[in-house]
Amino acid sequence: MTTTSSTPLPTAPNLIELSIGGMTCASCASRIEKKLNRMEGVSATVNYATEKATVRFADEVTPDDLIATVEKTGYTAKLPPPPTPAGPPAAEAPVDELRGLRNRLWTSVALTVPVILLAMVPAWQFDYWQWLSLTLAAPVVVWGGLPFHRAALINLRHGAATMDTLVSVGTLAAFGWSLWALFLGDAGMPGMTHPFRFAITRSDGAGNIYLEAAAGVTMFILAGRYFEARSKRNAGAALRALLELGARDVAVLRGGVETRVPVDQLAVGDRFVVRPGEKIATDGVVDEGTSAVDASMLTGESVPVEVGPGDAVVGATVNAGGRLVVTATRIGGDTQLAQMARLVEQAQSGKAAAQRLADRISGVFVPIVIALAAGTLGWWLGTGAGPTAAFTAAVAVLIIACPCALGLATPTALLVGTGRGAQLGILIKGPEALESTRKVDTVVLDKTGTVTTGRMTLVSVAPAEGVDPGELLRLAGALESASEHPIARAVAVGAAEAGALPPVTDFANAEGLGVTGTVEGRAVVVGRLRLLRERGFDVPPEVARAVTDAEAAGRTAVLAGWDGRARGLLAVADVVKPTSRVAVARLRGLGLRPVLLTGDNATVARAVADEVGIDEVIAEVLPAEKVDVVARLQREGRVVAMVGDGVNDAAALAQADLGLAMGTGTDVAIEASDLTLVRGDLTAAADAIRLARRTLNTIRGNLVWAFGYNVAALPLAAAGLLNPMIAGGTMALSSVFVVANSLRLRRFSTAR
């Protein structure tokens, strides 16, 4: 099946992309999106993962109006600068942001650990230990938790509540109560100890401090935010890697003289030279020379493309053969490489942001907890129990609900799951990648380099009647060893494995057809059937049939002959990886429907699909069309996973609900994906989906238990039967359970 070419990206003035700053959770993106969509003539989608808003707006609305609306919502917005190759400023910004968060986290860890140890081990509580705890905890709660407090304030202004609200209110309440107990209660007295009691008794709380709860919650939530930020850091790396694929400089012909200039100085109409092994600097048309161009990275075509005068070539592809002189036809943002970069960006921005489970639950849970704490305070004051008892019960409610385990639920499972995955050659980029794995029902497999090895290999030798196969291979391999053509190299390597090759004299290249030369005193011709017939060679019927059979099986037929007669055929192909058939069976076992998607021709694709057991094949598609195919499958209601390894797969990997990149592929494909398969083995795709589903189930289990512990104790806290210290202990116990449950992922093993 061949799809139609995709339409170019819209360039109308009513389409704009904004870079959004200040978002801390998926609900922030939802709030901005709602505000923008309430504007007359505006339709917007906000992606939390890429921190971008794609906005369509009417002529009467200006970009300044959009930015002002976002800023009124409490966030920042600006027009992003256009991407430039290897631009240092664009690359440094996210690194600086991550460094600040990392410094905040590690400072908080260093200060919090002693506070927790002192609070939980009474034997270490020396005179005035509580004041040391205050000195250590204060910077953590105030400075370390500043992002949560700031976000909570923004939420308050807009009548919203998120995880940040509960973290801020809970930690500040625990810290504020501790300050009251230290300065106005009994907790600041010399020799005060802080036993870890489990008895449920009423207490005025004047001798209790909860600095370890305030600092610990801040530290754990900071850790979760750091690991989330780290996974988002490379959101634009695919685009940068894609743009960096192009040539850096180019040999331009000016007045018949080659002048080396930076590629950005190249103009349409300039003629430039491409030597063997060099990248073609930009899209153009060949003026002089013939060669084989390796375009597999961009087109997925496994066989190198023969080009000559008048043929079009694409920038960033590699000249594998002779010297070419090319006239530039498209430069800069008009090239196919730049268009692919825009496709990747569009696919990433268009993917719906994964709504984190914790944020979804907290949207309901947080307001209920705050209302319950306020109600508890009011009820106890109304019963005449006094402000101390009332505030103790209210603080217990906030502390028992404080989301320490909730904050640990995702990062601990993710850390253990990703750590185990790394040992097995599977890299999971973040929690967003996991949510799609449970619903995926279709897996789209790129052919070249994913199902197949991605390189040409000699697969069979078919001699004519009466010809020794060893002699056929030796003479053909010797002649091909003098050529740089990828198909010739496949024949030469296969022949060399069978034995030493004799020397070649009088070597000559027949442009686009094959090679000739003298080997062991024989005038040998190796190449296409057309070449041998043009040279007047007799082609026996069995050799002609072998050519037809090889081409029907999707192989490239290379004929060899001497003394006026074709002596046999050597078949070359991009062979299927040994594990691909098993991998496809395992993917089916996971309930997935495999689809083979390739830029290669239909005959080759069908042969490969039959070999590995795939029924649905979509062949002869361009890189832009791969995105269209994935989008079409999604419109049909399928949840699509895409497995690929090349630049031509990057946009489709980003468009798919779940992108899996082979680690043996290009950096662009890896950056555009959600999961990376380091082993380069398709069986790793099945293992990756199993591991991701197991990790997601662990996260869900963690969330259930985290809320189970806390919600069950909320009535006790509200009734005044739960000392805030017990609330802190219960919170710690739920955290221990979450960590222990996550550690079970270390026992995950690959399928046998």
Side-chain angles (χ1 to χ4, degrees):
M1 173 181 174
T2 304
T3 65
T4 57
S5 60
S6 66
T7 55
L9 297 181
T11 56
N14 63 336
L15 176 66
I16 200 171
E17 190 175 72
L18 300 175
S19 294
I20 308 296
M23 293 191 294
T24 59
C25 62
S27 58
C28 297
S30 177
R31 191 176 311 124
I32 298 170
E33 191 172 293
K34 287 178 182 177
K35 289 285 187 182
L36 288 171
N37 285 325
R38 285 175 186 163
M39 297 176 66
E40 189 70 28
V42 173
S43 174
T45 58
V46 181
N47 191 322
Y48 170 59
T50 60
E51 297 183 335
K52 289 182 179 179
T54 302
V55 188
R56 292 185 180 276
F57 56 97
D59 292 335
E60 56 269 19
V61 180
T62 67
D64 289 339
D65 296 333
L66 300 172
I67 292 172
T69 298
V70 175
E71 290 176 344
K72 286 177 184 176
T73 313
Y75 305 90
T76 63
K78 63 180 180 180
L79 294 172
T84 56
E92 288 174 6
V95 174
D96 288 340
E97 178 184 348
L98 190 58
R99 185 183 301 120
L101 183 56
R102 183 169 55 247
N103 291 339
R104 195 182 296 269
L105 170 61
W106 290 120
T107 301
S108 298
V109 170
L111 295 175
T112 301
V113 169
V115 175
I116 293 176
L117 291 176
L118 286 173
M120 297 302 179
V121 185
W124 293 354
Q125 294 172 1
F126 53 86
D127 288 347
Y128 300 109
W129 69 274
Q130 66 272 41
W131 296 102
L132 175 62
S133 292
L134 176 62
T135 304
L136 296 173
V140 176
V141 176
V142 177
W143 175 75
L146 187 60
F148 310 126
H149 307 321
R150 188 186 294 121
L153 188 59
I154 293 173
N155 293 332
L156 180 63
R157 284 202 217 111
H158 296 90
T162 64
M163 275 271 291
D164 293 309
T165 307
L166 195 53
V167 172
S168 179
V169 171
T171 55
L172 289 179
F175 186 69
W177 179 262
S178 300
L179 289 178
W180 180 88
L182 285 169
F183 287 98
L184 301 177
D186 303 329
M189 301 296 291
M192 185 275 283
T193 58
H194 199 241
F196 193 78
R197 297 189 304 268
F198 283 97
I200 299 177
T201 57
R202 296 195 182 194
S203 166
D204 63 5
N208 294 330
I209 58 174
Y210 309 106
L211 296 171
E212 78 287 353
V217 168
T218 302
M219 178 188 70
F220 286 130
I221 305 299
L222 269 177
R225 288 289 166 84
Y226 169 72
F227 292 118
E228 179 181 31
R230 190 173 68 172
S231 71
K232 288 169 55 182
R233 176 177 54 179
N234 294 326
L239 302 179
R240 290 194 296 273
L242 191 52
L243 290 168
E244 288 169 4
L245 277 177
R248 297 291 181 177
D249 52 25
V250 58
V252 180
L253 282 175
R254 289 176 178 164
V257 179
E258 291 186 26
T259 306
R260 209 84 191 173
V261 299
V263 73
D264 58 4
Q265 294 182 17
L266 198 62
V268 171
D270 280 347
R271 300 173 75 239
F272 60 92
V273 177
V274 188
R275 291 183 172 79
E278 289 185 340
K279 290 180 180 178
I280 296 174
T282 192
D283 297 359
V285 175
V286 177
D287 276 352
E288 301 174 15
T290 60
S291 181
V293 173
D294 181 1
S296 61
M297 191 173 8
L298 288 174
T299 66
E301 183 76 35
S302 56
V303 179
V305 180
E306 303 286 348
V307 297
D311 291 331
V313 290
V314 178
T317 56
V318 178
N319 178 15
R323 177 181 182 272
L324 296 175
V325 177
V326 180
T327 298
T329 57
R330 291 185 292 187
I331 60 171
D334 296 327
T335 64
Q336 186 171 329
L337 185 67
Q339 290 169 4
M340 289 178 65
R342 287 197 292 272
L343 280 171
V344 173
E345 185 172 24
Q346 182 190 40
Q348 285 184 332
S349 299
K351 185 190 294 185
Q355 182 75 18
R356 288 181 53 193
L357 293 173
D359 287 312
R360 284 206 295 269
I361 298 171
S362 65
V364 177
F365 185 67
V366 174
I368 291 175
V369 168
I370 293 175
L372 183 59
T376 299
L377 179 66
W379 189 84
W380 280 103
L381 288 174
T383 60
T388 300
F391 196 66
T392 300
V395 168
V397 169
L398 288 172
I399 290 178
I400 197 66
C402 208
C404 180
L406 186 60
L408 283 171
T410 296
T412 54
L414 188 63
L415 283 174
V416 179
T418 53
R420 180 58 182 152
Q423 293 175 336
L424 301 174
I426 301 163
L427 303 182
I428 302 173
K429 290 195 172 179
E432 293 84 3
L434 304 177
E435 294 196 33
S436 299
T437 60
R438 188 172 59 88
K439 299 179 181 178
V440 164
D441 55 28
T442 302
V443 57
V444 176
L445 304 174
D446 170 57
K447 181 187 75 67
T448 306
T450 302
V451 177
T452 65
T453 61
R455 63 181 182 276
M456 304 305 289
T457 304
L458 178 65
V459 293
S460 67
V461 178
E465 187 176 346
V467 177
D468 176 44
E471 182 182 29
L472 172 66
L473 182 58
R474 186 178 73 256
L475 296 182
L479 188 57
E480 293 282 52
S481 68
S483 173
E484 293 298 320
H485 195 286
I487 293 177
R489 285 200 297 269
V491 173
V493 169
E497 290 175 354
L501 301 179
V504 179
T505 58
D506 303 325
F507 176 82
N509 180 35
E511 297 175 354
L513 295 174
V515 292
T516 62
T518 302
V519 184
E520 295 182 344
R522 291 190 174 105
V524 181
V525 177
V526 178
R528 297 184 181 182
L529 177 61
R530 175 184 160 191
L531 175 62
L532 272 71
R533 284 182 169 159
E534 285 181 357
R535 298 295 172 98
F537 276 59
D538 176 41
V539 181
E542 68 270 19
V543 175
R545 283 196 302 271
V547 171
T548 303
D549 293 342
E551 291 177 347
R555 296 171 176 175
T556 300
V558 179
L559 277 70
W562 57 85
D563 298 335
R565 184 179 176 84
R567 303 292 174 168
L569 174 141
L570 302 100
V572 174
D574 177 15
V575 298
V576 170
K577 293 179 180 178
T579 56
S580 291
R581 186 173 184 84
V582 173
V584 169
R586 289 182 183 173
L587 290 169
R588 286 187 185 278
L590 292 170
L592 305 179
R593 175 181 174 184
V595 177
L596 188 68
L597 177 65
T598 179
D600 222 333
N601 68 72
T603 302
V604 173
R606 186 69 262 170
V608 170
D610 290 342
E611 188 173 347
V612 298
I614 296 177
D615 300 324
E616 188 172 352
V617 179
I618 304 174
E620 299 177 20
V621 289
L622 298 174
E625 293 174 330
K626 288 193 174 187
V627 183
D628 295 340
V629 169
V630 172
R632 175 174 59 78
L633 292 172
Q634 291 170 326
R635 288 194 299 271
E636 291 173 0
R638 301 198 212 178
V639 181
V640 181
M642 168 78 186
V643 187
D645 75 326
V647 174
N648 60 312
D649 303 316
L653 287 168
Q655 173 68 35
D657 300 284
L658 181 70
L660 299 93
M662 307 297 283
T664 51
T666 65
D667 290 343
V668 179
I670 291 170
E671 293 296 351
S673 66
D674 302 303
L675 306 176
T676 300
L677 313 177
V678 177
R679 302 202 308 258
D681 181 347
L682 191 56
T683 57
D687 291 333
I689 292 175
R690 285 179 53 241
L691 175 60
R693 288 178 176 178
R694 182 81 58 83
T695 305
L696 179 62
N697 288 337
T698 300
I699 290 174
R700 292 177 182 275
N702 285 347
L703 292 172
V704 169
W705 280 102
F707 280 105
Y709 276 121
N710 295 358
V711 171
L714 275 174
L716 295 176
L721 299 176
L722 190 59
N723 189 302
M725 174 58 96
I726 303 302
T730 305
M731 182 187 67
L733 186 61
S734 67
S735 301
V736 170
F737 179 87
V738 162
V739 173
N741 190 43
S742 298
L743 289 174
R744 293 169 58 236
L745 286 168
R746 295 170 64 181
R747 298 198 295 269
F748 177 87
S749 60
T750 58
R752 297 294 181 185

